[in-house]
Amino acid sequence: MKKIALIGCTGNIGQKVVDAVRCYPEKFCFSALVCGKNRDALHALQEEFHPPLAFCAADGALPLDEIFSSCDIAFLAPSGFAGLEYALAAARQGKVIALSNKESLVAGGELLMKEVKDRGATLIPVDSEHSAIFQALSCRLDTPFKKLILTASGGPFLRLSKEELEHVTPKDALRHPTYAMGRKITIDSATMLNKGYEVIEAKWLFSTTFEKIETLVHPESIVHSLVCFEDGATIAEMGYPDMRVPVRLALTYPERLPCGEDLDLTKLQTLHFEQLDKEKFPCFTLALEAGKSGGTAPAALNGAAEVAVDAFLKGGISFPKIAEIILYALDKTPIAQADAFETVKAADQLARAHAKRYLYDL
Ligand SMILES: NC(=O)c1ccc[n+]([C@@H]2O[C@H](COP(=O)([O-])OP(=O)(O)OC[C@H]3O[C@@H](n4cnc5c(N)ncnc54)[C@H](OP(=O)(O)O)[C@@H]3O)[C@@H](O)[C@H]2O)c1
């Protein structure tokens, strides 16, 4: 019986973990459940699963060491920068970490990977692209490869012109063509910031360089990513878009549980691949440049993006303004070495303040 400490238990990914535990009560149980602010949903889960520990982050500081101390697997599915503190705490205890929260690697990749290495923790990717790469690498993070190719659905605005993007609404942006996800990641998929995040995530997870990571738009979302090897072989993981598959694999790998629908290639017939339009989606390049700058730049990028996306969702700014706000905040936030949590958090906070200032001046 595997004991899971689940952070973000009320969210889109968290609920997929809950479903796995519901379907396989003989295999899994919860040692801890943590939500952000939805106390009612947390109480319902407590009634159903009786975890020894349950917390709502909005109630105040959490006993992170206690939350992870008795778990076999820390499943990290909170949204946003908050994920980094959980990831560092789980890594400090040398835990197996199923990492869905990508912001922890984007904002604090250097810090987190050091903690993972020093404490002998294990990271298991949950993001579908990184899970695909992990599978193509025989469920290892250290298998040698020549190149990684991350695929992107292209989001809801793939075929819109730059001019048309001026007029899209939050409702339009929340209509993702292939995945139902939380609101922040859905908007990030529409701006392609999410794909930039995933490149940074892949760099850290697979200990590689930006030069060895490519991205391709693949609107059908059937090929979840590919790995090219020295001998010319390319291995892709394919399946219908269904996040339950990487979520469950992270809980059981290398064992697999019955879950998704079998892929019928005769029904699909054709798969399409094309280059990402970087001019139309500047957030992708902003993320990549922040990743290449290193230090606290990606933390600043993420802090500004969280403010900008929130403003867009509230109807306060147009879709293209998201990139403008990120660029403004990045320019104003000096880059420091990302060698301590406090420094990373300071960059996050400063970038948020600059982004808010920009909004205030609008
Ligand atoms: N959804 C996907 O298909 C998908 C795919 C790949 C990667 N991811 C990544 O997985 C993470 C979660 O995404 P999601 O789509 O599941 O988001 P979501 O539906 O918005 O859920 C977010 C979860 O985080 C919780 N939360 C917020 N702040 C917290 C805090 N300070 N401490 C603990 N929990 C907190 C929320 O609790 P409340 O409900 O109580 O507010 C909720 O349970 C993100 O980093 C995202 O990028 C998601």
Side-chain angles (χ1 to χ4, degrees), residues 12-13 174 180-187:
N12 181 288
I13 292 292
L174 286 169
M181 306 179 283
R183 286 160 68 85
K184 169 67 166 58
I185 184 176
T186 306
I187 303 301

Side-chain angles (χ1 to χ4, degrees), residues 88-162:
L88 289 170
R92 259 196 309 275
Q93 295 196 30
K95 293 291 175 181
V96 174
I97 303 171
L99 190 64
S100 182
N101 174 272
K102 59 186 80 189
E103 293 87 346
S104 45
L105 275 176
V106 170
E110 193 179 339
L111 210 56
L112 179 57
M113 294 313 287
K114 184 174 182 319
E115 204 69 62
V116 164
K117 189 165 173 254
D118 290 353
R119 306 298 179 117
T122 307
L123 285 184
I124 308 170
V126 174
D127 221 344
S128 59
E129 294 78 1
H130 306 77
S131 175
I133 292 168
F134 185 60
Q135 292 173 63
L137 296 174
S138 313
C139 287
R140 296 183 63 95
L141 296 174
D142 60 355
T143 306
F145 57 83
K146 188 173 173 190
K147 190 171 76 178
L148 306 177
I149 304 176
L150 295 176
T151 52
S153 72
F157 304 143
L158 181 61
R159 304 288 172 227
L160 295 196
S161 68
K162 221 174 156 186

Side-chain angles (χ1 to χ4, degrees), residues 285-341:
T285 306
L286 286 174
L288 225 64
E289 281 173 2
K292 287 179 185 168
S293 299
T296 54
L301 166 93
N302 180 67
E306 289 193 26
V307 172
V309 169
D310 186 54
F312 171 70
L313 280 169
K314 287 177 174 149
I317 56 167
S318 69
F319 185 76
K321 277 267 182 290
I322 296 175
E324 276 182 39
I325 292 172
I326 296 173
L327 178 60
Y328 174 85
L330 270 174
D331 278 348
K332 295 258 174 217
T333 311
I335 302 175
Q337 278 197 333
D339 50 6
F341 176 71

Side-chain angles (χ1 to χ4, degrees), residues 7-13 34-38 57 77-79 82 86 100-103 127 181-182 185 243:
I7 316 299
C9 59
T10 49
N12 181 288
I13 292 292
V34 182
C35 77
K37 53 182 178 348
N38 190 345
S79 50
Y86 293 106
S100 182
N101 174 272
K102 59 186 80 189
E103 293 87 346
D127 221 344
M181 306 179 283
I185 184 176
M243 279 308 292

Side-chain angles (χ1 to χ4, degrees), residues 30 61 80 98 103 117 121 124 148 187 189 192 225 233 240 263 344:
F30 289 117
E103 293 87 346
K117 189 165 173 254
I124 308 170
L148 306 177
I187 303 301
S189 299
M192 298 279 181
S225 278
Y240 294 114
L263 187 61
V344 173

Side-chain angles (χ1 to χ4, degrees), residues 46-79:
Q46 282 180 272
E47 294 276 302
E48 184 177 354
F49 296 102
H50 305 287
L53 299 171
F55 297 98
C56 182
D59 290 341
L62 298 176
L64 294 181
D65 289 344
E66 191 189 350
I67 285 171
F68 295 117
S69 64
S70 64
C71 72
D72 298 309
I73 180 160
F75 205 113
L76 306 186
S79 50

